[in-house]
Amino acid sequence: MEPKRIREGYLVKKGSVFNTWKPMWVVLLEDGIEFYKKKSDNSPKGMIPLKGSTLTSPCQDFGKRMFVLKITTTKQQDHFFQAAFLEERDAWVRDIKKAIKCIEGGQKFARKSTRRSIRLPETIDLGALYLSMKDPEKGVKELNLEKDKKVFNHCLTGSGVIDWLVSNKLVRNRQEGLMISASLLSEGYLQPAGDLSKNAADGIAENPFLDSPDAFYYFPDSGFFCEENSSDDDVILREEFRGVIIKQGCLLKQGHRRKNWKVRKFILREDPAYLHYYDPAGGEDPLGAVHLRGCVVTSVESSHDGKKSDEENLFEIITADEVHYYLQAATSKERTEWIKAIQVASRTGK
């Protein structure tokens, strides 16, 4: 009987021989992890046994490269994978940890619907707390703040984070809030912005997190950016990134010239409504942007050249300027989710 598939999707993997990062289709099984060059491939490019392996997350071996996890096998071989965003990395980490634990205990992997209490600091689930903090209605309010002739967009203050924890009775006092906030920072749920908070996070201050209105932080997928005095052209360009992120992940995109398909990381923002796409293997700047205001998005069975793709789940975006983009999701459910999200953004965004 074949091992059960627990989770699958695109992750960026670091090469074991060359230090290159490439997107792979990754499949988590009960006893190991298989990775494929393409989702449609029949044979995996490699397999990582989980028995006796250890998992490290967050893995901060690569500086600015975020959302990385490391698996170390019994032969002391390190394998590095990078997710597209924080929640995706945490979902992989939870399942890999559970798979390793099941192997050690001689048990079968089975999902259980459980809720962890976050009333007491000892039992706080940082992932669940992070999602509560990001809630548009009841979460921590993101601000645009000015300091040292710089404007910090989509950011939080250290004192504001702890105010929120105390007011929601998630901690008993500010000292406890400081401890929880430092944990959020060390696990990558919060990032420092500005010299004051960065110096504290680097160990210069007594506590890595500062309970101060002058210490700025941000959610790693919030669309945060810092702007200084710049040209009008820069302001126009940055306007694309002011929108709130409502969906992100990896999709296949067909090139306009060569018609070849490549994995791209997509970030969907609304108000203004833009879909930016990036090289998932690295690079902070987008490869391109799709202005979604007034666009049409539909599911299709083949690309415009009439050729059917290896897989189904294609959809097309036609912009107001009549530019066509062909994208492919991994599953029918994922395609439906992207289409609905883009339709909402196109109606509400600028």
Side-chain angles (χ1 to χ4, degrees):
M1 196 168 91
E2 289 188 4
K4 175 183 175 183
R5 290 192 172 205
I6 297 168
R7 176 176 294 277
E8 54 188 324
Y10 288 111
L11 292 174
V12 178
K13 185 180 183 300
K14 180 180 177 292
S16 54
V17 179
F18 302 103
N19 291 327
T20 54
W21 293 78
K22 292 184 178 180
M24 296 280 179
W25 182 257
V26 182
V27 179
L28 172 61
L29 306 171
E30 290 178 301
D31 59 350
I33 294 176
E34 293 179 341
F35 49 95
Y36 299 75
K37 192 174 180 180
K38 294 189 296 184
K39 181 178 182 286
S40 56
D41 288 350
N42 294 320
S43 301
K45 192 174 181 182
M47 199 273 191
I48 304 167
L50 288 179
K51 187 175 181 179
S53 294
T54 58
L55 177 67
T56 304
S57 177
C59 173
Q60 297 172 331
D61 293 10
F62 302 98
K64 292 184 178 180
R65 194 174 282 274
M66 299 173 68
F67 317 130
V68 175
L69 60 95
K70 176 172 74 172
I71 300 167
T72 305
T73 66
T74 53
K75 295 181 179 180
Q76 297 304 304
Q77 293 177 323
D78 291 334
H79 299 271
F80 300 92
F81 293 93
Q82 181 183 19
F85 54 100
L86 188 65
E87 291 92 340
E88 183 180 60
R89 184 200 67 185
D90 285 353
W92 277 95
V93 166
R94 282 193 297 270
D95 284 346
I96 294 170
K97 279 184 176 178
K98 187 171 181 179
I100 292 173
K101 190 175 180 180
C102 287
I103 293 170
E104 291 173 350
Q107 301 169 326
K108 282 282 186 182
F109 187 103
R111 295 193 186 279
K112 293 181 181 178
S113 179
T114 59
R115 284 189 176 184
R116 298 180 184 177
S117 171
I118 59 171
R119 290 183 180 178
L120 300 175
E122 296 84 3
T123 58
I124 278 188
D125 180 344
L126 293 179
L129 177 59
Y130 167 75
L131 293 177
S132 298
M133 293 173 72
K134 287 187 64 185
D135 185 280
E137 300 296 328
K138 300 179 181 179
V140 187
K141 300 303 178 188
E142 293 180 300
L143 307 168
N144 295 339
L145 300 170
E146 188 172 351
K147 187 180 180 182
D148 300 329
K149 296 183 179 179
K150 296 179 182 178
V151 178
F152 296 83
N153 297 269
H154 299 292
C155 78
L156 322 166
T157 66
S159 56
V161 170
I162 295 178
D163 285 344
W164 183 88
L165 290 170
V166 172
S167 65
N168 282 275
K169 299 180 180 179
L170 297 171
V171 294
R172 289 170 287 190
N173 50 53
R174 298 192 76 82
Q175 187 59 36
E176 213 166 64
L178 201 60
M179 178 190 69
I180 297 301
S181 299
S183 298
L184 289 164
L185 186 67
S186 66
E187 289 292 316
Y189 292 105
L190 291 175
Q191 293 291 326
D195 293 338
L196 185 63
S197 55
K198 286 180 180 179
N199 289 338
D202 290 339
I204 296 174
E206 184 179 347
N207 195 297
F209 189 91
L210 299 177
D211 181 2
S212 166
D214 295 320
F216 299 163
Y217 301 89
Y218 64 94
F219 297 124
D221 54 359
S222 66
F224 165 83
F225 65 95
C226 175
E227 56 184 327
E228 301 181 60
N229 294 331
S230 56
S231 69
D232 291 340
D233 289 343
D234 289 338
V235 172
I236 292 170
L237 176 63
R238 279 196 301 271
E239 180 69 21
E240 297 180 10
F241 300 95
R242 292 184 187 274
V244 176
I245 295 174
I246 58 174
K247 189 169 179 61
Q248 55 186 322
C250 287
L251 298 166
L252 281 170
K253 176 185 175 295
Q254 187 182 52
H256 281 102
R257 294 181 180 178
R258 297 175 61 188
K259 309 303 180 189
N260 55 337
W261 292 84
K262 289 188 177 181
V263 179
R264 294 291 180 236
K265 174 184 173 179
F266 285 84
I267 296 181
L268 174 62
R269 292 178 170 90
E270 66 175 356
D271 197 22
Y274 276 91
L275 183 64
H276 294 92
Y277 52 95
Y278 301 74
D279 180 354
E284 296 181 3
D285 295 326
L287 299 174
V290 185
H291 190 194
L292 298 175
R293 182 64 174 169
C295 78
V296 177
V297 55
T298 57
S299 58
V300 293
E301 298 308 318
S302 61
S303 54
H304 64 279
D305 55 10
K307 294 180 181 178
K308 199 162 188 174
S309 174
D310 292 338
E311 300 286 340
E312 300 295 332
N313 311 317
L314 290 170
F315 62 101
E316 177 185 17
I317 299 172
I318 306 175
T319 68
D321 296 330
E322 296 189 1
V323 179
H324 295 244
Y325 294 87
Y326 289 91
L327 307 173
Q328 183 180 348
T331 65
S332 176
K333 179 175 177 288
E334 186 181 57
R335 175 175 70 172
T336 301
E337 289 173 352
W338 273 103
I339 289 175
K340 287 182 177 178
I342 292 170
Q343 286 174 337
V344 169
S346 68
R347 290 194 295 266
T348 59
K350 294 177 183 176

